[in-house]
Amino acid sequence: MKRLIWNQLLEWKESDYRKPLIIKGARQVGKTWLMREFGKSQYDDVIYLNCDDEPQAASLFANDYDIDRILLQLQAISHIKPKPGKTLIILDEIQNVPRGLASLKYFTEKAPEYHVMVAGSLLGIAMHEGTSFPVGKVDMITLYPMNFREFLMATGHEDWAELIDKQQWNVLSSIEHKLQDLLRQYYFVGGMPEVVECFVEKKDLALVRRLQLNILDAYKNDFSKHAPREQVPRINMVMKSIPSQLAKDNKKFIYGVLKPGARAREYEIAIQWLIDCCILYKVSCVNDIISPLSFYENLSAFKLYFLDCGLLAALAGAESGQMLVGDNAFKGFKGAFTEQYVLQQLLSHGVSSVYYWTSGAVAEVDFIIEKKGKVEPIEVKAEVNVKAKSLKLLIDKHPGTKGVRYSMLPYKDQKWVTNYPLYSV
């Protein structure tokens, strides 16, 4: 299956300023497959070492950071002699090796001619638990679940993905109902590569759901193994609450939904743990839409979204009949799946920071982003009813700002807002 991040890996490989590459991302988003496939395609040899199940991995960095010794040990383990520029060295689950992350600094300083990639499903946790991190000595990329473009390509509709990329609205309008059907499928299946592959090959919705539930169980097992023991119940409660949090009219995260009288100080570590694992995305509120948005972030008000719309459907227990027939997927749960979908697409296409704006109980705009120093408010509509009082209010308060609306309507450019069909995010 094609991943759009491939071009970023090619740029990394050819860069004169290349450093060891860290690929972040949640468990089972395809990090290992991507690294190995890239290695097979672009290098003569690949040295692959899973630091979680290779007994000798623990000794690699135990005593010192002598790169010559480390390279010899990698050769002894893999039976492949690493060659500069010709061999890709992959250290998977590197957070399980003491001082593994810190060693990347020495690859940058003493052996920059070697190409090194590392990954780990709990890398974010390791980076926030006092592990020595080589700040400024590594390159970093985050791998997200497959977005809708990648889903289209996986299901044999690469030509339609190209039409969307080229914004061929006249042609797209003739197939919009088919694209909407595919979008319903994406809401149910999501973008976890194993699940997408199963859907494409088997078309078995029950098997798709079983795989999604297996992934959720794997996450829970990670909590039990790696999270602080006292935080495990809270982590599970936060994750379980996400569907009900997103089904509210006001999707701001409310601690009281977890249990009556719950307070932020009880759950902030659990929430951060899930964010560091890339299982939850945090979208903070901004008090104003002036660049840079981070200056106006309200740290006490935020929304939490799930890693993947398909996993969200499994977590919520949404049946295939609800998701694939009619407009239930778009309208249901008060548009929760549609907001979740739009956020996933934004992140997977490289939008680094996403916020939302609210004016008390008067108005709320779903997402606020920055593009080349300009602020762009985004309204998400799950239906063809696109009255956007909140967005219009915000635009009127900030002359010169133009909004974006994603809805079930076709493309239309108005003076103050441009409407894009949901399938084209």
Side-chain angles (χ1 to χ4, degrees):
M1 291 185 288
K2 292 184 179 180
R3 299 304 305 265
L4 298 179
I5 202 173
W6 191 273
N7 288 335
Q8 293 183 54
L9 300 185
L10 289 173
E11 290 174 7
W12 170 80
K13 178 179 184 288
E14 300 301 326
S15 173
D16 293 335
Y17 304 97
R18 185 194 60 259
K19 302 171 185 175
L21 179 65
I22 293 177
I23 301 181
K24 288 179 58 185
R27 179 181 294 280
Q28 298 192 44
V29 293
K31 299 184 298 296
T32 299
W33 177 89
L34 179 68
M35 292 188 297
R36 300 190 80 159
E37 284 297 309
F38 186 75
K40 285 193 293 184
S41 169
Q42 301 296 320
Y43 293 86
D44 294 345
D45 298 300
V46 177
I47 294 177
Y48 175 80
L49 184 67
N50 188 320
C51 299
D52 194 29
D53 62 12
E54 171 52 62
Q56 298 180 75
S59 64
L60 274 177
F61 317 105
N63 299 316
D64 57 49
Y65 296 116
D66 185 330
I67 296 299
D68 290 335
R69 177 191 58 78
I70 291 170
L71 290 170
L72 280 174
Q73 283 191 242
L74 285 171
Q75 181 179 344
I77 294 170
S78 66
H79 307 293
I80 296 172
K81 185 180 186 301
K83 299 183 287 292
K86 301 294 184 181
T87 304
L88 179 63
I89 299 170
I90 299 174
L91 303 175
D92 209 353
E93 299 297 344
I94 192 173
Q95 77 281 351
N96 290 316
V97 177
R99 310 194 331 158
L101 281 172
S103 72
L104 301 180
K105 169 184 176 182
Y106 299 92
F107 273 101
T108 298
E109 294 178 346
K110 298 181 178 180
E113 66 274 18
Y114 289 94
H115 293 208
V116 180
M117 278 187 186
V118 307
S121 54
L122 297 175
L123 262 179
I125 301 300
M127 289 160 57
H128 287 85
E129 287 187 341
T131 300
S132 180
F133 186 76
V135 177
K137 302 296 182 179
V138 293
D139 295 321
M140 294 185 67
I141 292 177
T142 300
L143 182 63
Y144 296 96
M146 296 172 70
N147 59 34
F148 187 56
R149 298 288 207 294
E150 293 168 321
F151 182 80
L152 286 176
M153 292 188 287
T155 54
H157 298 95
E158 188 165 355
D159 52 340
W160 292 359
E162 290 178 3
L163 288 174
I164 293 172
D165 287 337
K166 295 176 181 177
Q167 299 190 343
Q168 298 290 317
W169 304 118
N170 290 335
V171 181
L172 289 166
S173 64
S174 66
I175 56 171
E176 68 176 14
H177 293 299
K178 294 179 180 179
L179 286 165
Q180 289 170 5
D181 281 340
L182 285 163
L183 190 55
R184 289 183 185 90
Q185 294 170 23
Y186 180 76
Y187 278 26
F188 180 79
V189 175
M192 304 303 280
E194 181 187 15
V195 179
V196 174
E197 185 177 43
C198 169
F199 175 72
V200 170
E201 293 182 356
K202 306 291 186 182
K203 290 294 191 294
D204 186 332
L205 299 179
L207 182 55
V208 163
R209 178 51 53 87
R210 198 178 313 141
L211 289 175
Q212 291 168 334
L213 293 174
N214 288 345
I215 292 172
L216 293 175
D217 285 341
Y219 290 159
K220 292 175 185 176
N221 289 336
D222 277 346
F223 305 160
S224 299
K225 288 180 183 177
H226 302 286
R229 183 176 299 177
E230 70 279 3
Q231 293 295 331
V232 173
R234 294 169 187 165
I235 290 170
N236 283 316
M237 287 174 69
V238 170
M239 191 169 92
K240 187 178 178 180
S241 80
I242 297 303
S244 59
Q245 298 275 2
L246 292 177
K248 301 190 277 69
D249 285 318
N250 177 2
K251 293 175 174 55
K252 174 186 172 183
F253 187 83
I254 304 296
Y255 291 96
V257 171
L258 300 173
K259 69 174 185 179
R263 294 289 182 267
R265 64 178 179 273
E266 298 176 74
Y267 291 93
E268 58 188 5
I269 294 176
I271 290 172
Q272 191 60 51
W273 208 91
L274 287 163
I275 292 170
D276 289 343
C277 286
C278 300
I279 293 173
L280 294 186
Y281 307 137
K282 183 178 183 180
V283 176
S284 294
C285 182
V286 285
N287 297 320
D288 207 342
I289 62 162
I290 301 172
S291 181
L293 289 170
S294 58
F295 281 15
Y296 301 92
E297 181 177 0
N298 179 354
L299 297 174
S300 65
F302 57 89
K303 299 187 284 188
L304 291 178
Y305 293 87
F306 210 57
L307 162 71
D308 174 67
C309 55
L311 294 184
L312 177 63
L315 189 65
E319 298 295 335
S320 56
Q322 291 176 286
M323 303 290 292
L324 296 174
V325 180
D327 290 334
N328 291 329
F330 302 128
K331 299 178 184 177
F333 309 97
K334 301 189 185 299
F337 284 110
T338 302
E339 279 194 37
Q340 168 74 40
Y341 157 76
V342 170
L343 178 65
Q344 272 183 247
Q345 309 315 298
L346 294 175
L347 294 172
S348 70
H349 283 286
V351 179
S352 57
S353 298
V354 184
Y355 302 90
Y356 77 100
W357 173 85
T358 183
S359 178
V362 177
E364 180 175 314
V365 174
D366 301 307
F367 300 120
I368 309 290
I369 65 173
E370 285 181 90
K371 288 173 64 176
K372 299 179 180 178
K374 290 186 177 181
V375 174
E376 188 170 275
I378 297 173
E379 186 89 328
V380 176
K381 295 293 185 182
E383 306 178 55
V384 294
N385 179 2
V386 294
K387 291 181 180 178
K389 295 179 180 177
S390 296
L391 182 59
K392 190 69 168 67
L393 175 66
L394 184 61
I395 297 295
D396 289 344
K397 289 177 63 177
H398 296 82
T401 301
K402 187 171 183 177
V404 166
R405 182 199 297 124
Y406 292 113
S407 76
M408 296 297 286
L409 292 179
Y411 172 83
K412 185 177 182 180
D413 191 358
Q414 299 172 252
K415 289 184 178 180
W416 64 279
V417 64
T418 303
N419 188 89
Y420 294 92
L422 278 168
Y423 59 76
S424 72
V425 179

